[in-house]
């Protein structure tokens, strides 16, 4: 497998020119989701970088280092945000189930939310309305039309 991986990485790097490649991270117009903005050469070179990190992870699996494997500065990778959104790979050596079990279920479970009483909200709205009416009558004394009706 490592020889296949190395030949794939070498093929991707040899067939794509870094001078024409473009790759960056951005967000969609709503600002809710992250996007990759790239041409095909940039995507292929980024795939080669990811495969190279997978190979490094495979090579150091016996030592299991905890420090990130950083990406080298690349001329075809740009940052629209002013900083690198993804600067490297943090190695994980467990399966997805093991990782999720240790990260997400170690926290205490969320308590169910109590529903607010509708009576309390109704009383609060009545008090707010009465206060607004009193402030309005003090600010505009001519609004008491029912007093001047004959």
């Amino acid at each position: 497998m490592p020889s296949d991986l190395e030949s794939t990485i070498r093929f991707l790097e040899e067939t794509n020119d870094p001078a024409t490649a473009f790759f960056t991270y951005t967000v969609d117009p709503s600002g809710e989701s992250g996007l990759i903005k790239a041409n095909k050469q940039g995507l292929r070179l980024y795939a080669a970088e990811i495969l190279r990190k997978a190979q490094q992870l495979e090579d150091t699996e016996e030592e299991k280092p905890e420090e990130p494997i950083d990406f080298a500065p690349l001329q075809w990778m740009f940052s629209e945000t002013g900083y690198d959104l993804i600067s490297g790979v943090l190695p994980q050596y467990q399966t997805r189930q093991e990782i999720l079990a240790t990260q997400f279920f170690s926290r205490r479970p969320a308590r169910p939310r109590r529903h607010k009483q509708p009576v309390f909200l109704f009383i609060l709205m009545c008090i707010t309305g009465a206060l607004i009416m009193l402030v309005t009558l003090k600010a505009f004394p001519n609004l008491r039309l029912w007093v001047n009706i004959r």
Side-chain angles (χ1 to χ4, degrees):
M1 179 73 158
S3 62
D4 291 339
L5 195 57
E6 183 59 40
S7 65
T8 303
I9 293 169
R10 197 171 33 256
F11 172 76
L12 287 171
E13 290 177 340
E14 290 172 357
T15 57
N16 294 288
D17 184 17
T20 60
F22 177 79
F23 185 94
T24 187
Y25 299 100
T26 187
V27 293
D28 66 346
S30 68
E32 293 181 12
S33 301
L35 298 172
I36 292 174
K37 188 189 318 184
N39 61 9
K40 64 181 179 180
Q41 291 87 4
L43 283 173
R44 290 174 182 163
L45 288 175
Y46 189 71
E49 285 297 313
I50 295 291
L51 290 174
R52 186 178 314 289
K53 299 305 174 209
Q55 189 177 33
Q56 287 176 0
L57 209 81
E58 197 172 88
D59 293 342
T60 62
E61 195 166 2
E62 289 82 31
E63 298 117 30
K64 296 189 181 194
E66 296 294 323
E67 59 272 351
I69 304 170
D70 293 325
F71 289 115
L74 303 165
Q75 67 175 355
W76 48 268
M77 189 179 289
F78 299 94
S79 175
E80 289 185 1
T81 59
Y83 59 93
D84 293 331
L85 287 175
I86 299 178
S87 62
V89 176
L90 186 61
Q92 301 293 305
Y93 299 98
Q94 301 89 9
T95 64
R96 180 174 56 97
Q97 290 82 7
E98 293 169 343
I99 293 169
L100 292 177
T102 58
Q103 287 182 352
F104 296 110
F105 297 117
S106 62
R107 292 186 271 171
R108 61 184 172 96
R111 293 183 292 155
R113 294 183 64 181
R114 293 188 327 205
H115 296 289
K116 293 182 178 179
Q117 299 293 329
V119 175
F120 174 72
L121 291 175
F122 178 72
I123 292 171
L124 186 64
M125 286 181 3
C126 288
I127 291 171
T128 305
L131 288 174
I132 290 172
M133 186 178 78
L134 285 173
V135 168
T136 304
L137 288 176
K138 287 289 184 184
F140 305 103
N142 293 335
L143 288 179
R144 291 191 237 179
L145 298 175
W146 61 87
V147 175
N148 296 329
I149 295 178
R150 295 186 182 180

